[in-house]
């Protein structure tokens, strides 16, 4: 991840916060317009129309005009993308943004001279209407930066993330196909049997994160104690996200290096029809609480993993219809939802084949990618319906 800590001066921070405010304002305006859309009536305005409205709004309001049009247009662009993701069923519907939560701005049309290094550990980036802002040069900035995002996390730290597609990782010429399945207890299961777990928070940190909100409830509004507790919560959450991102980078590089073809479930299909897994009906102990704690991070981490794989292994990713991968016996193709007995156990009702449930799903994903159409095999020998369609999946966020 080419993410760097930004170190704005207090004066620069004020302008950055104004930018964030403008971005939030136009985003929320777009949310409103889409919320008032009624079925059967003319649709909400698209990106082009919204840009025209933005021009009008800037003509009308001096405070908006004083801001950067690049920042404001990019907020609209971000919203258009969020709506596309929503219709693509990979994300939730974009909602109202609140001050201090997920603040950020995006700058495009960045030129070669807009990022420069000053010394071994210090660099700077040019931000519209802010000027040169210092950044911690913690690693090399990628060549050919085309855009960047500036964000402020809930702990009040500023970061800049440069968008440059990472170099593809050379493929091994083994022809080996790996299936990767998203698990709950484990973050990813490989068809090789490996179960990869993203490092979340440690037990002591988790316990703290569960305790802090209660302390927050007891703290008086506006007190410095309350602010301290809030900052502590934000720091823990930021730490969790950082670890998840780091894991995604390492895992995607390693998979791209080790396997020629990488098969994953197709999230677009998964979003609509992913089956209710054994995990839902029979969650393992402590899974509920843990899943609740990590769900957002895991969901985001999974999307990011697939995205980074596509960058690092272009043309080597296969997306597989995930509908039956968790209930099909990998040994003989028997199919029954009941075969997935729990969070971690798969035991075929027809032949008794046993496996780790996540690894079994990963093997089915691999086999489908390799051309053995697992999910398309004949009906269940148990006499159940072939298209045993899944119930509502409470595990999916959005
Ligand atoms: Zn079987």
């Amino acid at each position: 991840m080419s993410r760097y800590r930004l170190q704005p001066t207090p004066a620069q921070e004020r302008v950055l916060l104004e930018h964030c405010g403008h971005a939030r304002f136009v985003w929320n305006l777009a949310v409103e317009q889409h919320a008032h859309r009624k079925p059967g009536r003319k649709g909400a305005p698209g990106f082009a129309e919204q840009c025209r409205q933005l021009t009008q709004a800037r003509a009308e309001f001096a405070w908006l005009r004083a801001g950067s049009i690049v920042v404001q247009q990019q907020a609209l662009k971000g919203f258009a993308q969020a709506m596309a993701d929503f219709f693509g069923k990979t994300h939730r519907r974009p909602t109202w943004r609140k001050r201090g939560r997920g603040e950020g701005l995006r700058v495009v049309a960045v030129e070669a001279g807009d990022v420069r290094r000053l010394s071994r550990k210090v660099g700077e980036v040019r931000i519209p209407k802010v000027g040169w802002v210092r950044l911690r040069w913690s690693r090399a900035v990628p060549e050919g930066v085309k855009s960047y995002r500036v964000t402020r996390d809930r702990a009040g730290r500023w970061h800049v993330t440069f968008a440059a597609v990472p170099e593809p990782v050379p493929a091994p010429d083994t022809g080996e196909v790996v299936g990767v399945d998203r698990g709950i207890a484990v973050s990813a299961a490989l068809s090789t049997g490996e179960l990869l777990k993203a490092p979340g928070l440690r037990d002591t940190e988790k316990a703290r994160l569960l305790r802090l909100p209660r302390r927050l409830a007891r703290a008086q509004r506006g007190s410095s104690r309350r602010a301290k507790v809030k900052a502590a919560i934000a720091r823990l959450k930021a730490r969790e996200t950082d670890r998840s991102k780091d894991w995604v980078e390492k895992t995607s590089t390693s998979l791209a290096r080790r396997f020629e073809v990488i098969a994953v479930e197709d999230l677009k299909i998964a979003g609509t029809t992913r089956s209710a897994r054994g995990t839902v009906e029979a969650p393992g102990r402590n899974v509920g609480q843990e899943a609740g704690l990590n769900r957002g991070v895991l969901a985001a981490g999974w999307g990011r993993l697939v995205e980074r794989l596509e960058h690092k292994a272009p043309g080597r990713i296969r997306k597989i219809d995930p509908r039956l991968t968790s209930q099909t016996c990998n040994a003989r193709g028997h199919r029954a939802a009941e075969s997935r007995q729990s969070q971690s156990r798969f035991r075929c009702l027809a032949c008794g084949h046993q496996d780790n449930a996540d690894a079994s799903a990963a093997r089915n994903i691999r086999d489908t990618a390799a051309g053995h159409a697992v999910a398309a095999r004949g009906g269940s020998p148990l006499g159940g319906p072939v298209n045993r369609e899944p119930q509502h999946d409470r595990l999916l966020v959005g």
Side-chain angles (χ1 to χ4, degrees), residues 328-335 339 346-354 381:
T328 304
C329 161
N330 185 257
R332 319 241 317 256
H334 304 132
R335 187 185 307 144
S339 290
F346 182 96
R347 186 171 174 281
C348 180
L349 289 187
C351 71
H353 169 69
Q354 294 193 37

Side-chain angles (χ1 to χ4, degrees), residues 232-309:
I233 293 175
R235 264 198 310 277
L236 278 172
K237 288 191 168 162
R239 197 176 295 166
E240 185 180 25
T241 307
D242 284 351
R243 283 181 197 157
S244 158
K245 284 184 174 168
D246 194 49
W247 178 82
V248 161
E249 289 310 313
K250 285 183 182 141
T251 306
S252 54
T253 300
S254 149
L255 287 172
R257 197 170 282 152
R258 285 173 61 198
F259 302 99
E260 194 166 328
V261 175
I262 302 152
V264 296
E265 58 180 351
D266 189 333
L267 278 183
K268 290 215 170 113
I269 300 174
T272 51
T273 61
R274 187 178 167 85
S275 76
R277 291 214 156 160
T279 47
V280 178
E281 288 103 57
R285 255 192 309 151
N286 295 329
V287 165
Q289 191 181 47
E290 177 142 341
L293 211 56
N294 293 333
R295 197 161 46 183
V297 174
L298 281 183
W302 181 260
R304 200 153 41 223
L305 180 65
V306 173
E307 185 187 271
R308 300 309 264 178
L309 280 172

Side-chain angles (χ1 to χ4, degrees), residues 80-97:
Q81 181 59 48
M83 284 307 286
D85 290 343
F86 168 64
F87 289 124
K89 314 239 191 242
T90 56
H91 291 72
R92 266 196 261 212
R93 177 183 272 278
T95 55
W96 191 265
R97 281 204 177 149

Side-chain angles (χ1 to χ4, degrees), residues 173-240:
D173 51 6
T174 55
E176 196 177 346
V177 182
V178 70
V180 185
D181 185 48
R182 159 176 58 163
I184 303 299
V186 289
S187 313
L190 306 189
S191 51
T192 56
E194 289 160 83
L195 305 175
L196 311 178
K197 194 167 178 9
L201 293 177
R202 285 185 214 99
D203 286 346
T204 50
E205 291 168 328
K206 270 184 219 160
R208 226 176 135 228
L209 192 54
L210 288 171
R211 215 166 41 229
L212 283 171
R214 262 175 276 150
R215 214 176 281 175
L216 191 66
R218 283 200 302 269
Q220 213 154 38
R221 275 194 171 277
S223 67
S224 68
R225 193 177 131 71
R226 189 179 165 87
K228 262 187 210 157
V229 178
K230 266 189 147 170
I233 293 175
R235 264 198 310 277
L236 278 172
K237 288 191 168 162
R239 197 176 295 166
E240 185 180 25

Side-chain angles (χ1 to χ4, degrees), residues 119-183:
S119 66
R120 207 167 67 83
K121 288 272 179 205
V122 181
E124 55 186 6
V125 55
R126 186 158 31 200
I127 302 179
K129 310 237 173 194
V130 181
W132 290 102
V133 180
R134 290 278 168 105
L135 62 92
R136 219 183 269 164
W137 200 275
S138 41
R139 77 212 80 162
V141 170
E143 292 286 311
V145 168
K146 291 280 185 289
S147 68
Y148 60 81
R149 230 186 121 62
V150 172
T151 50
R152 181 180 184 275
D153 64 23
R154 285 196 239 177
R157 304 179 304 179
W158 292 89
H159 289 94
V160 58
T161 306
F162 296 108
V165 175
E167 286 293 301
V169 175
D173 51 6
T174 55
E176 196 177 346
V177 182
V178 70
V180 185
D181 185 48
R182 159 176 58 163

